[in-house]
Amino acid sequence: MKKVTVSILVGLAKFFSGATVRWVDCQPDTCQRIYFANHTSHVDALILWASLPRRIRNVTRPVAAKDYWDGGPIRRYIASVFNACLIDRNEVSRRNSPVDMLLQEMGDKFSLIIFPEGGRSPDGELGTFKSGLFYLGKKRPDLELVPVFLDNMNRVMPKGEVLPLPLLTSISIGAPIWLEPGEGKTEFLERARHSILKLKES
Amino acid sequence: MSRLVAFLFDTSQFSGPSMTLLGGNLLVLAVLFAVGRYLRKQSESMIDPAVIRSFDRRIVGWIAILVILVLALMVNRTFTLVFFGFLSFWALREFITMTPTRRGDHRTLFWVFFLFTPLQYFLVALQDLSFLPNLPNRERFAELFIFIIPVYASLFVAGRIAFADDAKRYLERIAKIQFGLLICVFAISHAPALLYLEPLRTFNAEANAWEIWTTGTTTGLLLYFVIIVQISDLLHFVWDRMAGRHVIAPSINANRTWEGLTGSACCTLVIGMFIQAVMPITPFQIVGSGLMACLISVMASSGSMTMSAIKRDRGVQDFGTLVQGHAGILDRIDSICFAAPIFFHVTRFFLATQHVPGNGVQ
């Protein structure tokens, strides 16, 4: 049953977004990765996930906000279908750290899709990054941190709309980055942010 | 059940001449394709490789459109309509993707994509959908397709965006959406609508009187239209390359010349007469067929020029490169979008008989 839903959702996402995927200086691989992308629309995670090749999709889990995706049976079902890790944006504490939770969910098999801005940008501009990406990179230096630029998604389904438009979008996946030895948090986050901006121009 | 089966598979629409014409045309395309391939292998100093590439793309595009069209026609004319419907949908999404819209346009665009586009095609098909329950005044409903977009949809777009409370560039935004709908949906739907333009009359020169056209079907009319557009497109390209001296509008399209326009119009006139003389698949007279072909050629050029102008305005090279990797549907059908409604209406004006959509019930 879930398989059917997956193919329907993937088909719908591909049809609606007409997404072209460009692998720029990066090849599809099932090794453990963190895809970090700019966030402008609710459909971002779904479209990015659907556009990955099937074998990669099977080991990739989007990270989504619990307050949205846990609200109501349909959203909860969709989140379970694409195997999302839900994190609580409201109750972040040292004891209840989302980073540790994510690392646990990843195990040694899964890759993650995260949106380091922490929420959707209202105007489509890339905002500042939350520190989660830095800690993920620090605790698991073996992970490839892969920048992804999503273009035109905010027109497919802008903040506050429920119905998507079938406009053409594109997904650019860039060269992986790692945390350099001795690199500070702000420095690294700025570099990560810049790697997405660079994809925008390429 | 048997009604549904009869509805689904109807190959009776193909006549001998239209098959010959189609076969001949595909053969010519195949030869041209081979020529393109051959030229590509020659040294680059002789011919600009970009020219060959664009020539190749043109040919491949036309082969694809013709093959899909014939497959759709072989099943049933409703399938042809569905094919054009998807073409419209794709063209419209390219058009709107290229056009900057604002948040306030979102819901308007939703209705444009999911209500007006399917509705337009549904209305064209209406008189055919015999398994639907009987509508009173089916003809009255069917004729809606001629004005539902220019009247209802364009007013809806203007009104709905006003209701969305965003005045910035209001006039510009509604104009863009209306024009997209007009070109990509309204105009293109007139090509498959040719199939539903029956019964037509034809002039019998021997008896010196009008009679109902029975020697061919409207499938022939659509094939004639598509093939003439495509021949004119290719001839335009060839004339531009061989004899082009005076560019029509350099800031719009540096390749299109007056020589190409007149050359292709004259050549298609002759080819139109030739087709009707050898393989009569239309209800036109020989001279009429030539004039129609000439008209199609001029309208096809105008359509391409208009699309070039839109592209320059938006600063894109090809609709296809808008988002990397997409085959630009708008690039391929730019020559149909002006020619289809004009060909449809001229044919309807001269040759339609009573029970034709838009003609009213007599």
Side-chain angles (χ1 to χ4, degrees), chain A residues 7-191:
Chain A
S7 14
I8 292 173
L9 276 179
V10 167
L12 275 179
K14 281 186 175 169
F15 173 75
F16 272 107
S17 61
T20 341
V21 186
R22 293 192 304 147
W23 295 84
V24 186
D25 305 322
C26 181
Q27 291 305 315
D29 197 330
T30 49
C31 70
Q32 278 197 289
R33 277 174 170 171
I34 297 203
Y35 299 93
F36 61 99
N38 57 325
H39 199 16
T40 52
S41 151
H42 275 315
V43 290
D44 282 352
L46 178 60
I47 291 175
L48 173 53
W49 186 76
S51 308
L52 293 171
R54 182 192 293 263
R55 65 195 165 89
I56 296 177
R57 201 194 304 149
N58 287 340
V59 293
T60 304
R61 306 180 60 178
V63 176
K66 196 170 199 164
D67 47 280
Y68 180 78
W69 288 99
D70 213 15
I74 297 176
R75 287 182 206 164
R76 209 172 302 144
Y77 181 67
I78 291 178
S80 79
V81 160
F82 56 110
N83 203 6
C85 302
L86 299 184
I87 54 172
D88 201 329
R89 284 193 291 195
N90 303 324
E91 282 181 50
V92 178
S93 65
R94 194 166 288 272
R95 214 163 53 80
N96 185 16
S97 150
V99 171
D100 291 335
M101 194 276 262
L102 288 180
L103 288 174
Q104 203 183 344
E105 296 272 344
M106 280 181 88
D108 52 5
K109 183 180 170 200
F110 288 104
S111 297
L112 293 182
I113 295 173
I114 66 170
F115 300 101
E117 290 162 89
R120 289 167 299 154
S121 126
D123 52 356
E125 293 301 315
L126 189 59
T128 50
F129 282 8
K130 299 252 192 276
S131 56
L133 185 66
F134 172 75
Y135 291 114
L136 285 170
K138 195 173 178 184
K139 291 190 174 169
R140 284 284 303 274
D142 60 310
L143 295 177
E144 292 188 359
L145 309 177
V146 180
V148 178
F149 176 65
L150 305 173
D151 195 9
N152 222 11
M153 298 287 180
N154 56 333
R155 288 180 70 201
V156 171
M157 198 160 128
K159 208 166 183 169
E161 296 289 346
V162 280
L163 299 168
L165 288 183
L167 299 178
L168 299 172
T169 58
S170 89
I171 297 173
S172 311
I173 302 176
I177 60 170
W178 287 272
L179 184 62
E180 301 289 336
E183 193 175 19
K185 192 170 89 178
T186 25
E187 255 175 283
F188 171 76
L189 291 177
E190 192 45 45
R191 187 160 66 91

Side-chain angles (χ1 to χ4, degrees), chain A residues 14-20 22 152 154-170, chain B residues 86 89-90 92-94 96-101 103 105-107 109-111 113-114 322-326:
Chain A
K14 281 186 175 169
F15 173 75
F16 272 107
S17 61
T20 341
R22 293 192 304 147
N152 222 11
N154 56 333
R155 288 180 70 201
V156 171
M157 198 160 128
K159 208 166 183 169
E161 296 289 346
V162 280
L163 299 168
L165 288 183
L167 299 178
L168 299 172
T169 58
S170 89
Chain B
F86 275 107
F89 187 83
W90 199 277
L92 186 63
R93 84 195 287 194
E94 276 177 13
I96 299 293
T97 303
M98 171 193 71
T99 313
T101 56
R103 272 291 306 281
D105 307 341
H106 189 86
R107 296 193 179 176
L109 285 171
F110 183 84
W111 297 116
F113 273 108
F114 293 109
L322 199 65
V323 176
Q324 277 220 346
H326 279 290

